[in-house]
Amino acid sequence: MKLMISSEASVGDLVYIPSEALLTDYKKFIRTDKPINVLCMDKRDVEVKVLYKGSSWWVNKRSVYPIKEENGS
């Protein structure tokens, strides 16, 4: 099994967010200190809602990279 980055995230997909990405819940902001894999929970025009450390956060979709499994040998 090999994981690859694909082009478009869907709700329920596992997504990759690189280090130094800005996440917000509109009350506070945090910046990722290392790359993370999180669950895509919702989408808007320019944002994706993700589950990170047990809380919901919004992140700019330019910082979100969907992951897909590559089947093959």
Side-chain angles (χ1 to χ4, degrees):
M1 174 174 70
K2 184 177 184 181
L3 295 179
M4 298 182 61
I5 295 174
S6 66
S7 60
E8 182 71 25
S10 298
V11 173
D13 285 352
L14 183 65
V15 296
Y16 168 86
I17 297 177
S19 62
E20 300 299 316
L22 187 64
L23 284 69
T24 184
D25 65 0
Y26 294 107
K27 295 178 185 170
K28 60 185 173 229
F29 294 88
I30 59 171
R31 206 170 275 282
T32 56
D33 58 350
K34 60 183 178 180
I36 56 174
N37 292 319
V38 293
L39 179 68
C40 176
M41 299 173 56
D42 196 3
K43 292 171 35 175
R44 292 185 184 163
D45 289 336
V46 296
E47 296 175 305
V48 175
K49 188 178 198 178
V50 298
L51 181 64
Y52 176 62
K53 293 189 175 182
S55 298
S56 299
W57 296 90
W58 289 97
V59 60
N60 188 296
K61 70 179 183 180
R62 291 181 297 183
S63 298
V64 176
Y65 300 91
I67 297 173
K68 69 174 186 174
E69 183 178 336
E70 179 185 82
N71 293 323
S73 37

